[in-house]
Amino acid sequence: MAPESELSEDAFEALEAVAEISLDAEDRLGRAGGLSYLDLLKRRGHGELAVPDAVVRPASPEEVQEVLRVCVEHDVAVVPFGGGTSVVGGVEALRGGKNAVIALDLARLDRLVSVDPVSRVAVLQAGLPAPDAEKLLGEHGFTLGHVPQSFERATIGGFAATRSAGQASSGYGRFEDMVEGVRVQTPAGEWRLGSAPASAAGPDLRQLVIGSEGLFGVITEVALRVRPKPENPCYEGFIVDGWQAGEALIRDLAQRQALADVTRLSDVDETEVAIALTGGRKADLLNRYVKLRGIKAPCLVIMGWEGRSRAATMAATHGHKLVRLGRAMGEAWRHGRFNGPRQRDALLDAGVCVETLETATHWSKLTQLRSAVRDALTESLGDPVVMCHISHAYETGASLYFTVLVPRDLHDPVAQWERAKTAACSAISGLGTITHHHAVGRDHAPYLPAEIGPLGIDVLRSVKSTLDPTGILNPGKLV
Amino acid sequence: MAPESELSEDAFEALEAVAEISLDAEDRLGRAGGLSYLDLLKRRGHGELAVPDAVVRPASPEEVQEVLRVCVEHDVAVVPFGGGTSVVGGVEALRGGKNAVIALDLARLDRLVSVDPVSRVAVLQAGLPAPDAEKLLGEHGFTLGHVPQSFERATIGGFAATRSAGQASSGYGRFEDMVEGVRVQTPAGEWRLGSAPASAAGPDLRQLVIGSEGLFGVITEVALRVRPKPENPCYEGFIVDGWQAGEALIRDLAQRQALADVTRLSDVDETEVAIALTGGRKADLLNRYVKLRGIKAPCLVIMGWEGRSRAATMAATHGHKLVRLGRAMGEAWRHGRFNGPRQRDALLDAGVCVETLETATHWSKLTQLRSAVRDALTESLGDPVVMCHISHAYETGASLYFTVLVPRDLHDPVAQWERAKTAACSAISGLGTITHHHAVGRDHAPYLPAEIGPLGIDVLRSVKSTLDPTGILNPGKLV
């Protein structure tokens, strides 16, 4: 199924001299794109996979640097590849007019480089999958507390390159909030940043690297703030009556700085499914209990305390009507929280179009944004199931995460979803950010100019041309 | 005393057509540099003041844009000028090879543009001095909580352009943490950023504007997160025994996320002065009390709670030996906290060389950095008084702020301080950041390459050449 590799013999030999390289079809197919619905459709024969001409696996930042040198010399495009969990086409092996394209697999950069227990800073290599990073840090009593839904596969470098946000972002911050320093290999040479927890030494260039999606360089090491592993995590479920009440609750907690580490609000549709998933009799009891308490439009709130004070959160809920479902519901969510991505293949088998998308905006525009996206999806897809939740809250606003399910168009499922995605993105544009934590990749690139302005695009291009003058890095993404 | 203006008649007329302009000598002298010790010396005849050829006062972002257009056309350098409180030569009116140089005084951009009470976001114009901003926000029940020592004169735009940090940074964050959006006029056009509280839409370009010190554009409006005005601020003084004990206390509080909003630790020398300043009998009593409690090396800790919980902080001090001095000491610090800059002129009159400098690093290197800077200052200045405090603490590290006093070299006071500053900066370079909150300006520019690497400098230059292709903006600063 993989097309012939078009990597020249010269380039192959030069790469082989500096790092491990594979032309194996399975290796290459395994790094042909990410995990978006469209990626999954491609793997089922709808649309064409962009397959890299080779998979290169350097074992150190120095080898990454050498690989880049060779690729510049042979005009070969380079797609940095971590866990391959992009849902926005961020790791698609586009050639961008170059002679060939390689997937630069960072799996062998899997070391915990150092731990400074006094400062609570750990340096981790970019290829470390999150569970391995947690295991290595756990041996020192530390955790990152970064648990996005992609946790099981995603890597440290990927988190940095895509400006990731974990489910416990209210407590631990977004990934960029944890970054103390970065080591980046660029075609123009090695770049290291981060000499203090905070600085006024000009613009914060770390924030230019974070979210750069492999366009400026390959992130090889990240210095991260770590925290002691929490001893008694506690998760609970609650019900509020209606989305507005839930939004008011979360906003109030955020603005009082009393959020739980994990804080989620599901709308009525998502709540219905969440309760149904607890299973027959239990679901019945839950529904009856909620009705008995006078709730008309049940919206599920999950709160999880990893290190923060539960008492402070609960005190701040005073004045809000909250029906407590207890720890069982919290733990159910916690244990099922990585299931979403796993279930997609089964749903696809059953003929369902299933995809998620997300945004964020300020509190005063949140309701309007939610309606606009729902309407756009409903209109473009006929009669889909659209579920929505808030999973990241800030003092000034929050994220919105949508899950869409609809019978798959058997004739042209790709066009069906592209229509819906375009409608949703157009609804978002101008009201909120085009992406709160999924990054830009290929799919959101058309909407970036509206968000950061033509000057923003020019700035990104000028930085790219300084660090990657021949443009070998991750073509076709971001700008 | 002001040299003749060298602004051409053509340029003058073109500027006059778009904004208020003054060639008045007093106006121009008033915008000839900032408030560093070297600036003060210059005003006393030691060294030459760089005096702008004109002072231009636009009344709106649109007028700023027009001024930039005219200045590009006539090849005139532009130094954005807010409160003029730079202590690093950041507003020196350098011409940079251009035909003339103007001070772009932002004083007339003094509006509170909008308040969104639900999202708690306010848009403020750049020229608003901090006290006026607080007054305007106060009418809506809000505060920024940003109180640097320059508070009385500094402006919103200056805070953003220099990556300012206020004394209550532990509670309210650094200025960059409050920025939701920016409006910037650049020679390449207007640039607006910030559509959500958080985003994964590529690199965070707001963080490229914050700290850009007027090199990329003129910040004209800033959207800021605001908080309710606290009702009962409370400040207290404590004594710990020795710097190490104090550092351990602050680190512990920071890592438990239980810092007071304002948290400061003074070393023995600074503590001695602080106690002496409380006045004769009171100072005697304080010293005796501290001795009676068995303290050998008294180090003053000031903690101030504006909105955070005092109880949470105090609970987290468990295990640390703390002698409580009560609220009087806290309030004394609070009321005297803007005196430092005011007293400098009197000290200069008395023949004293007095200056401050600051840095930050990770906890594990803090003691080493403090010694290195002290040694460098002591060695280069003979027998100075060097006082040091921590005023900004983070989970992973803290800032160090040094105050130096030494008899002024009557022969060449400029060379005396330049030697000391060079020695201190060399000691800092490699161990910490060259500046935690004073910015780069002209004085720290030589040390920036070591901190962000030659690639970092290249990146800043490429951004500048995109936004300010003819290089009219703030020549000679940052890079």
Side-chain angles (χ1 to χ4, degrees):
Chain A
M1 206 166 100
E4 279 293 300
S5 169
E6 294 187 14
L7 192 68
S8 73
E9 215 162 301
D10 281 1
F12 177 83
E13 277 169 20
L15 283 168
E16 201 184 24
V18 298
E20 200 177 292
I21 181 168
S22 162
L23 299 180
D24 179 78
E26 204 173 315
D27 278 349
R28 290 162 53 214
L29 280 169
R31 281 143 199 94
L35 293 178
S36 72
Y37 172 64
L38 293 183
D39 286 326
L40 301 190
L41 282 183
K42 281 181 193 163
R43 291 180 189 282
R44 288 164 183 251
H46 299 283
E48 208 167 320
L49 276 175
V51 183
D53 294 299
V55 177
V56 178
R57 289 190 200 85
S60 65
E62 292 76 10
E63 282 192 16
V64 171
Q65 192 65 57
E66 282 298 286
V67 169
L68 293 183
R69 184 186 54 73
V70 170
C71 287
V72 168
E73 222 172 277
H74 294 266
D75 208 33
V76 170
V78 176
V79 179
F81 199 96
T85 61
S86 172
V87 290
V88 293
V91 292
E92 216 172 313
L94 302 179
R95 192 176 288 188
K98 301 291 167 191
N99 294 329
V101 54
I102 62 161
L104 186 74
D105 189 331
L106 294 157
R108 294 174 70 204
L109 273 76
D110 61 355
R111 287 198 309 118
L112 169 59
V113 179
S114 63
V115 178
D116 172 350
V118 175
S119 310
R120 296 195 178 166
V121 174
V123 178
L124 297 159
Q125 287 194 323
L128 262 174
D132 296 357
E134 285 298 332
K135 194 162 159 275
L136 290 169
L137 289 172
E139 290 166 9
H140 297 263
F142 290 119
T143 181
L144 282 176
H146 188 73
V147 188
Q149 203 173 36
S150 60
F151 179 81
E152 293 172 315
R153 291 182 57 174
T155 59
I156 295 299
F159 292 149
T162 60
R163 208 165 259 280
S164 170
Q167 291 165 341
S169 70
S170 300
Y172 290 90
R174 295 167 59 87
F175 199 74
E176 68 248 34
D177 302 324
M178 308 175 188
V179 173
E180 297 280 322
V182 287
R183 180 177 181 182
V184 192
Q185 319 306 132
T186 83
E190 177 171 281
W191 195 18
R192 284 172 186 262
L193 289 168
S195 48
S199 170
D204 190 350
L205 296 175
R206 294 173 305 187
Q207 296 298 332
L208 195 60
V209 170
I210 302 170
S212 61
E213 304 189 13
L215 265 81
F216 298 162
V218 182
I219 297 167
T220 51
E221 289 176 6
V222 189
L224 291 158
R225 177 250 285 156
V226 294
R227 290 193 181 154
K229 263 176 98 77
E231 278 167 27
N232 293 307
C234 160
Y235 283 73
E236 287 188 44
F238 304 83
I239 292 286
V240 290
D241 200 354
W243 176 267
Q244 292 308 325
E247 201 183 295
L249 167 72
I250 309 289
R251 186 177 73 237
D252 201 13
L253 293 178
Q255 294 182 339
R256 288 169 190 261
Q257 295 171 73
L259 285 170
D261 296 294
V262 170
T263 308
R264 298 167 71 88
L265 165 70
S266 296
D267 68 1
V268 170
D269 295 302
E270 194 172 284
T271 300
E272 203 177 311
V273 172
I275 291 181
L277 284 175
T278 62
R281 207 171 137 264
K282 209 166 164 193
D284 275 357
L285 283 171
L286 274 171
N287 281 323
R288 262 192 262 172
Y289 175 68
V290 164
K291 211 171 243 173
L292 264 177
R293 299 294 300 267
I295 302 287
K296 281 172 197 140
C299 289
L300 179 64
V301 175
I302 296 289
M303 298 204 255
W305 295 270
E306 295 269 343
R308 287 191 165 193
S309 151
R310 184 184 173 287
T313 307
M314 295 315 294
T317 62
H318 186 75
H320 294 274
K321 190 182 166 188
L322 228 66
V323 175
R324 210 170 144 191
L325 301 184
R327 295 187 64 158
M329 196 68 196
E331 290 301 322
W333 174 81
R334 187 183 179 206
H335 287 117
R337 62 180 170 172
F338 305 132
N339 288 350
R342 289 189 204 133
Q343 290 158 346
R344 289 199 309 166
D345 267 309
L347 285 165
L348 255 75
D349 288 344
V352 176
C353 161
V354 53
E355 184 55 305
T356 65
L357 52 88
E358 41 79 59
T359 177
T361 194
H362 291 113
W363 289 113
S364 59
K365 290 188 282 185
L366 204 67
T367 296
Q368 188 191 352
L369 177 56
R370 178 164 163 268
S371 301
V373 176
R374 281 185 64 94
D375 290 353
L377 290 169
T378 303
E379 198 169 311
S380 60
L381 286 172
D383 193 24
V385 175
V386 180
M387 304 185 286
C388 178
H389 65 244
I390 289 177
S391 46
H392 304 267
Y394 307 88
E395 287 176 71
T396 58
S399 68
L400 291 173
Y401 190 97
F402 298 88
T403 304
V404 191
L405 296 114
V406 73
R408 186 157 79 240
D409 183 324
L410 295 176
H411 174 62
D412 194 345
V414 173
Q416 175 190 31
W417 178 247
E418 281 179 344
R419 264 197 318 275
K421 176 81 178 171
T422 302
C425 289
S426 305
I428 288 170
S429 208
L431 273 180
T433 176
I434 196 64
T435 172
H436 170 268
H437 60 268
H438 280 172
V440 178
R442 194 182 185 184
D443 299 355
H444 291 144
Y447 305 93
L448 195 60
E451 183 150 341
I452 63 172
L455 283 185
I457 300 290
D458 289 348
V459 163
L460 293 179
R461 287 211 175 110
S462 73
V463 173
K464 180 165 177 73
S465 71
T466 298
L467 297 173
D468 177 25
T470 65
I472 58 167
L473 284 168
N474 215 8
K477 322 295 158 53
L478 198 59
V479 289
Chain B
M1 206 167 99
E4 280 292 302
S5 170
E6 295 187 14
L7 192 68
S8 73
E9 216 162 298
D10 281 1
F12 177 83
E13 278 170 20
L15 283 169
E16 202 184 21
V18 298
E20 198 179 290
I21 180 167
S22 162
L23 299 180
D24 178 76
E26 204 172 313
D27 276 351
R28 290 161 54 215
L29 280 169
R31 282 144 198 92
L35 293 179
S36 73
Y37 172 63
L38 293 183
D39 287 326
L40 300 191
L41 283 181
K42 280 181 194 161
R43 292 181 189 279
R44 287 163 183 251
H46 298 283
E48 208 167 322
L49 276 175
V51 183
D53 293 301
V55 177
V56 178
R57 289 189 200 85
S60 66
E62 291 77 10
E63 283 193 17
V64 172
Q65 193 66 55
E66 282 299 286
V67 170
L68 293 184
R69 184 186 53 75
V70 171
C71 287
V72 167
E73 222 171 278
H74 293 267
D75 209 32
V76 170
V78 176
V79 180
F81 200 96
T85 61
S86 172
V87 291
V88 294
V91 290
E92 218 172 314
L94 302 178
R95 192 175 290 187
K98 301 290 166 194
N99 295 328
V101 55
I102 62 161
L104 186 74
D105 190 332
L106 294 158
R108 294 175 70 204
L109 273 76
D110 60 356
R111 288 198 311 118
L112 169 58
V113 178
S114 63
V115 179
D116 173 350
V118 175
S119 310
R120 296 195 178 167
V121 174
V123 178
L124 296 159
Q125 284 195 324
L128 262 177
D132 297 357
E134 284 299 332
K135 196 163 157 275
L136 290 169
L137 290 172
E139 289 166 11
H140 297 263
F142 290 119
T143 180
L144 281 176
H146 188 71
V147 188
Q149 204 173 33
S150 61
F151 178 81
E152 292 171 316
R153 292 181 56 174
T155 59
I156 295 299
F159 292 148
T162 60
R163 208 163 261 281
S164 171
Q167 290 166 343
S169 69
S170 299
Y172 290 88
R174 296 168 57 88
F175 198 74
E176 70 248 34
D177 301 325
M178 308 174 188
V179 174
E180 296 281 321
V182 287
R183 179 178 181 182
V184 192
Q185 319 306 133
T186 85
E190 176 172 280
W191 195 18
R192 285 174 185 259
L193 290 169
S195 49
S199 170
D204 189 350
L205 296 175
R206 294 173 305 187
Q207 296 298 331
L208 195 60
V209 170
I210 302 170
S212 60
E213 303 190 14
L215 266 81
F216 298 162
V218 181
I219 298 168
T220 51
E221 289 177 5
V222 189
L224 291 159
R225 177 250 287 153
V226 295
R227 290 194 181 153
K229 264 174 97 77
E231 279 168 28
N232 293 304
C234 159
Y235 284 72
E236 287 188 44
F238 303 84
I239 292 286
V240 291
D241 201 353
W243 176 268
Q244 291 308 323
E247 199 183 297
L249 168 71
I250 309 288
R251 186 178 73 238
D252 201 13
L253 292 178
Q255 294 181 340
R256 287 167 191 263
Q257 296 172 72
L259 285 170
D261 296 295
V262 170
T263 308
R264 298 166 69 90
L265 165 69
S266 295
D267 68 2
V268 170
D269 295 301
E270 193 170 285
T271 300
E272 204 177 311
V273 173
I275 290 181
L277 285 174
T278 61
R281 200 164 144 267
K282 209 167 162 192
D284 274 359
L285 282 171
L286 274 171
N287 281 323
R288 261 191 262 171
Y289 174 68
V290 164
K291 211 172 241 171
L292 264 177
R293 300 292 302 264
I295 302 288
K296 283 172 195 138
C299 288
L300 179 65
V301 175
I302 297 289
M303 297 204 258
W305 295 270
E306 297 267 345
R308 287 191 166 193
S309 151
R310 183 183 174 286
T313 308
M314 295 315 294
T317 62
H318 185 76
H320 294 274
K321 191 182 166 188
L322 228 65
V323 175
R324 212 173 141 187
L325 300 185
R327 293 185 65 158
M329 195 68 196
E331 290 300 322
W333 173 80
R334 189 185 177 203
H335 288 116
R337 61 180 168 172
F338 304 132
N339 288 349
R342 291 190 203 134
Q343 289 157 347
R344 289 198 310 166
D345 268 309
L347 285 164
L348 255 76
D349 288 344
V352 176
C353 161
V354 53
E355 184 55 306
T356 64
L357 54 88
E358 41 78 60
T359 177
T361 194
H362 291 112
W363 289 113
S364 60
K365 288 187 284 184
L366 203 67
T367 297
Q368 188 192 350
L369 176 56
R370 179 164 162 266
S371 302
V373 176
R374 282 186 64 94
D375 291 352
L377 290 168
T378 304
E379 199 169 310
S380 59
L381 288 172
D383 194 22
V385 175
V386 180
M387 304 185 289
C388 177
H389 65 244
I390 290 176
S391 47
H392 304 267
Y394 306 89
E395 288 177 70
T396 59
S399 69
L400 290 173
Y401 190 95
F402 298 88
T403 304
V404 192
L405 296 115
V406 73
R408 185 157 81 241
D409 183 324
L410 296 178
H411 174 63
D412 194 345
V414 174
Q416 175 191 31
W417 177 247
E418 283 180 345
R419 265 197 316 276
K421 176 79 176 174
T422 303
C425 288
S426 306
I428 289 169
S429 205
L431 272 178
T433 176
I434 197 65
T435 173
H436 171 268
H437 59 269
H438 280 171
V440 177
R442 193 182 187 183
D443 300 355
H444 291 143
Y447 305 94
L448 195 60
E451 184 149 340
I452 63 171
L455 283 185
I457 301 291
D458 289 348
V459 163
L460 293 179
R461 287 210 176 112
S462 72
V463 173
K464 182 168 175 69
S465 71
T466 299
L467 298 174
D468 176 26
T470 66
I472 57 166
L473 285 169
N474 215 6
K477 320 297 157 51
L478 198 61
V479 289

